[in-house]
Amino acid sequence: GLICLALPESPHWLLTNSGAESATIVLMKMARWNGCEEKVTGRIQLSAPEKIRKEGGNIMKLLRNRKYALVSLQLFYQWFLVSVTSYGFFYSLDNIAGDLVVNFLIMCTMSIPFDIFTAALLTYIGRRKALLLNLTVVIVSCAVAMVRLKIAWGWTTERFAVVIGSMWGTASNWTVVTILTNEALPTSVRSTVVSTGSIMARFGSFIAPFMVKHARSTSFYLMYGIFIGLSVMGLAFGWTIPETKDLHLRETIVNEDEENEEKL
């Protein structure tokens, strides 16, 4: 926490709220830390459009825009969903066949190829389809986990499904949701929306342990069933989120009239 006191303020935030002079000072300090101050001296020229300065992180103005408000609410739900399912799978590790430490090592090892696979998905099929695919994996994994059949080498369908669902379906979806949120919203409110999405994720991480605790005293069928229901809702919401792959990132919240004028 004390280290954060030494961190400089975001140049983008300074540019939109305090002006170019404050942002330039921070950028020059970064250049000095990286040993390239002489190369950039006199070359940094910053200016923030008036609209960006006026909007700067205004969440209420964002929510008054029907288009971006709907996208934001859908993304907030995705943040909550990926958090509650991810932590739910993780906290239930000691309830599936096999040693807890072994299960944890297996999941961490498998996360590497799944992260690489997710990066390829984002590149070739886009953000929205990658989101929908990962949510489908969560649904299928939960359904398979409810079967609880023995496979081989002490593995059960539940153990296999939880590992796949947590590493592919949820852990990889953190990356997808983060990138989609950053690309779907204008620059002027992007950091505010990402922060709000992170708050929604905290709600998910808070609820997950209680779900697992209740499942231990009753049945994990209920928890897997809830995950399926939440993920189906996530699929429905995700289907309407616009694709952002290869699209130009907007700088400000543009209403429909201004958008039409730009097209003309």
Side-chain angles (χ1 to χ4, degrees):
L2 294 177
I3 297 177
C4 294
L5 297 176
L7 294 176
E9 184 55 80
S10 163
H12 176 267
W13 186 89
L14 290 173
L15 180 62
T16 56
N17 292 274
S18 300
E21 183 178 353
S22 300
T24 302
I25 292 174
V26 173
L27 290 175
M28 290 301 299
K29 184 184 296 186
M30 293 179 179
R32 185 166 59 252
W33 290 346
N34 288 279
C36 58
E37 184 177 9
E38 294 181 0
K39 295 181 179 180
V40 300
T41 300
R43 296 185 179 183
I44 299 179
Q45 297 181 351
L46 302 176
S47 63
E50 184 64 24
K51 285 186 177 181
I52 293 183
R53 289 199 295 269
K54 287 182 177 180
E55 291 178 5
N58 192 330
I59 189 67
M60 295 308 299
K61 188 165 186 177
L62 170 72
L63 295 178
R64 284 196 293 268
N65 183 289
R66 186 175 61 180
K67 173 185 175 181
Y68 289 125
L70 182 59
V71 172
S72 299
L73 294 175
Q74 291 168 329
L75 289 170
F76 292 158
Y77 178 80
Q78 299 297 338
W79 278 88
F80 167 79
L81 176 60
V82 70
S83 177
V84 71
T85 52
S86 178
Y87 285 103
F89 280 135
F90 177 79
Y91 290 134
S92 63
L93 275 178
D94 60 343
N95 292 277
I96 60 179
D99 183 79
L100 174 62
V101 176
V102 174
N103 286 327
F104 183 75
L105 290 175
I106 290 173
M107 291 175 64
C108 291
T109 303
M110 292 184 66
S111 67
I112 299 175
F114 280 129
D115 286 339
I116 297 174
F117 179 66
T118 299
L121 286 178
L122 291 170
T123 301
Y124 292 105
I125 70 173
R127 286 67 164 133
R128 187 169 65 90
K129 290 182 180 178
L131 173 69
L132 298 178
L133 177 60
N134 288 347
L135 289 175
T136 302
V137 170
V138 173
I139 294 172
V140 174
S141 297
C142 289
V144 173
M146 296 171 73
V147 178
R148 291 185 176 180
L149 297 177
K150 291 184 177 181
I151 306 175
W153 303 298
W155 278 63
T156 63
T157 52
E158 182 180 17
R159 185 185 190 189
F160 176 79
V162 168
V163 169
I164 296 297
S166 59
M167 287 298 96
W168 181 0
T170 59
S172 297
N173 234 12
W174 280 109
T175 303
V176 177
V177 172
T178 301
I179 292 177
L180 191 55
T181 304
N182 276 280
E183 294 181 344
L185 282 305
T187 301
S188 58
V189 293
R190 186 172 299 129
S191 59
T192 303
V193 175
V194 172
S195 300
T196 307
S198 181
I199 294 174
M200 296 303 298
R202 297 297 182 272
F203 283 109
S205 64
F206 175 78
I207 293 173
F210 293 98
M211 294 180 64
V212 174
K213 182 179 180 180
H214 183 267
R216 286 173 180 160
S217 60
T218 55
S219 172
F220 272 84
Y221 288 109
L222 176 61
M223 187 184 78
Y224 294 142
I226 292 175
F227 285 175
I228 290 175
L230 292 175
S231 298
V232 169
M233 289 180 61
L235 277 176
F237 293 150
W239 193 264
T240 60
I241 295 177
E243 178 58 68
T244 60
K245 180 178 178 292
D246 299 329
L247 292 182
H248 174 72
L249 300 183
R250 289 192 176 278
E251 293 186 343
T252 60
I253 302 172
V254 183
N255 61 41
E256 298 300 325
D257 294 335
E258 293 174 330
E259 201 169 90
N260 292 332
E261 289 178 4
E262 289 180 359
K263 291 180 180 179
L264 295 175

